[in-house]
Every structure is written in structure tokens, then in C-alpha cells.
Amino acid sequence: MDLFELTLNQQAYLAPVSQWRVIDIPSAVKISPLNPNYSSFCRMVRQLEKGGVLKSYRKPGGGRKYIYLTPLGERLMGLGEAPTSITTETLLHDLRASELARELLSRGWIDSVSLEHELHNKRQFGSSGRIVPDAHLEGSKSGKRFKIALEVELTVKSHSRVEEKIRHYQSQSFYDYCLYFFPKISHLENFQEFVTTRIGPEVSKRLMCFCWDWGSPLNESKGYFKGQSMTLKELFA
């Protein structure tokens, strides 16, 4: 039994953390439904960190502070069926995936996002198969709806794992496209060369590959789709 309980205001303040898994404090304040005072929000964060409800991470060099729920925080927020499952090992990846999904949504390029922890418990998601992407994106372009599986690759994966994922996405009909992001252009190019050689040039019809360093403007992110070089802004325009 948890002796610590959250007030209704605290639960409302933490709603963005529950939704986005890990989020920087300014963004959490901005999208909070209660429009909290920044200083008050920071005091609450410090209190909940001491109580074991939240953990935090600050980017090296004095960057923004990011917060995420502990297992205790997940229970207090009623996330038993869809825990955010942040660990030290996955923190940086989950942070990058969350930031990217929020950025895509804020630019209006998509209109719906579900992160990995939400997808595990959606019954309808079972039709997409055994592989769960980092995020499920939906939107429309030229009057036509689309579904995209988002994959963030910060490290080089084994060839067998890469092939398994790509063959899965190519064989299913749940997603229209798969959007991969890499932090380095060399990773992107090696990935594309491997999947094209191993699976065939037809893979480019549904596979989008882009490079972003999580520092430069996202609309300037460059990549490839259907064999053509383009920016991410051009892709969604």
C-alpha cells in the first residue's frame, strides 16, 4: 500500500509526463491543462522527486531538466495497464523518441501520436503484428489519411534485427509507411545500403529515412524517400 498520495492538482500537472513518458519541464508546464506557474511547478517536481514519484535527467552542459515517472509514480497515476517503463538504459532513446513525436505534432505534420507504452495495451494494435514501433503516427496529406510507424535508431543494431523489423513492416498492411530517424548520416546510409541489398529496391516505396541531431531545426532534417533526397518539411508539405 502506498502511503504517498497525489492531489488532484498534482495528477493534472503530471498528465503530460504520463502521456509523453519523459518530458522537459518547460514543455510540461506549457501543455499542462492547469497552466501552472513555472516556479510552483518546479517546487512540486522537487517535492515529488524526494517522495520517489519522479526522477529527473539533465542534459550535459547545463541543458534542460527532463522528468519521468518512477514505478511508484506510475501506480499513483493509475498507469498499471500502460506503464511508461523508463529505465536508465532506455532513458536517452525514450527522451529522443518523445521529443521527436512532440515536434512532429506541434508542426502540424501529423494530428495523432501514441507512444510505445500506450500501444502495448491497445487491442486494435494487435493487427499490426508482434513488433511495436517507438510511436504510432497518424495524419493526412492531400485529403488522404496515413499511418506511420516511427523508429528512432540511436545505435547500430544487428543486421538480423534490422532485417526482421523491415521485413515485418513490408509484409503488413496496418502501416502505410515506416519512418526511421538516425543521429548520424553515416548510420542512415549504412542502414539504407543494407536493407536495399538484403530486401530489394522495392523497400524504398514505404520506407522513409531521415537524419536529425536533436539540435538543429527539425524541418531542415534531410533524408530519403522513394529514392529521392529531400528535407522532412518537403516530405510532409
Side-chain angles (χ1 to χ4, degrees):
M1 180 177 179
D2 298 319
L3 299 180
F4 196 103
E5 293 185 0
L6 296 175
T7 66
L8 292 178
N9 276 357
Q10 288 173 332
Q11 292 179 42
Y13 289 160
L14 294 180
V17 186
S18 299
Q19 178 183 4
W20 295 107
R21 302 185 83 178
V22 54
I23 186 171
D24 61 281
I25 290 180
S27 295
V29 170
K30 182 178 180 180
I31 64 179
S32 174
L34 295 186
N35 191 29
N37 172 272
Y38 184 84
S39 297
S40 299
F41 190 90
C42 289
R43 283 197 298 272
M44 181 202 71
V45 167
R46 290 193 293 270
Q47 176 191 1
L48 296 183
E49 281 189 275
K50 291 180 180 179
V53 176
L54 291 174
K55 282 190 175 182
S56 63
Y57 165 80
R58 189 180 296 276
K59 285 186 176 181
R64 289 184 173 187
K65 181 175 181 177
Y66 292 76
I67 54 176
Y68 57 99
L69 294 169
T70 65
L72 171 61
E74 292 172 349
R75 291 197 299 273
L76 293 175
M77 288 294 290
L79 300 179
E81 295 184 357
T84 55
S85 303
I86 295 288
T87 66
T88 302
E89 293 75 19
T90 65
L91 174 59
L92 185 57
H93 173 274
D94 294 335
L95 185 157
R96 294 284 176 85
S98 177
E99 280 189 319
L100 177 56
R102 292 201 314 275
E103 185 77 9
L104 291 168
L105 186 65
S106 69
R107 290 180 178 273
W109 292 341
I110 56 174
D111 54 43
S112 174
V113 175
S114 294
L115 294 181
E116 181 184 6
H117 69 290
E118 299 173 288
L119 299 177
H120 279 292
N121 295 281
K122 288 189 175 182
R123 293 181 180 179
Q124 67 269 28
F125 188 73
S127 61
S128 71
R130 66 188 180 281
I131 292 179
V132 179
D134 292 322
H136 168 96
L137 314 177
E138 291 192 27
S140 60
K141 183 176 181 179
S142 301
K144 184 178 180 181
R145 298 290 300 173
F146 60 75
K147 295 179 182 178
I148 296 177
L150 176 66
E151 294 283 357
V152 175
E153 298 291 330
L154 300 184
T155 58
V156 179
K157 300 293 191 298
S158 68
H159 283 177
S160 60
R161 180 56 174 164
V162 169
E163 183 174 356
E164 178 189 14
K165 273 194 171 185
I166 295 299
R167 288 195 182 279
H168 165 74
Y169 286 126
Q170 292 293 305
S171 65
Q172 54 80 53
S173 59
F174 187 81
Y175 286 110
D176 301 298
Y177 306 102
C178 183
L179 175 58
Y180 269 79
F181 270 87
F182 304 85
K184 297 181 179 180
I185 191 65
S186 59
H187 292 178
L188 183 159
E189 292 173 344
N190 290 337
F191 176 88
Q192 279 205 307
E193 181 180 0
F194 171 76
V195 298
T196 301
T197 301
R198 189 73 178 180
I199 300 176
E202 68 276 4
V203 73
S204 66
K205 294 179 181 179
R206 300 173 66 187
L207 179 63
M208 310 167 180
C209 294
F210 282 81
C211 179
W212 189 40
D213 60 6
W214 277 264
S216 58
L218 181 61
N219 63 322
E220 297 176 4
S221 170
K222 295 181 179 180
Y224 299 91
F225 179 47
K226 294 183 178 180
Q228 296 184 358
S229 175
M230 63 183 68
T231 65
L232 196 65
K233 182 178 180 179
E234 291 171 334
L235 175 69
F236 285 102

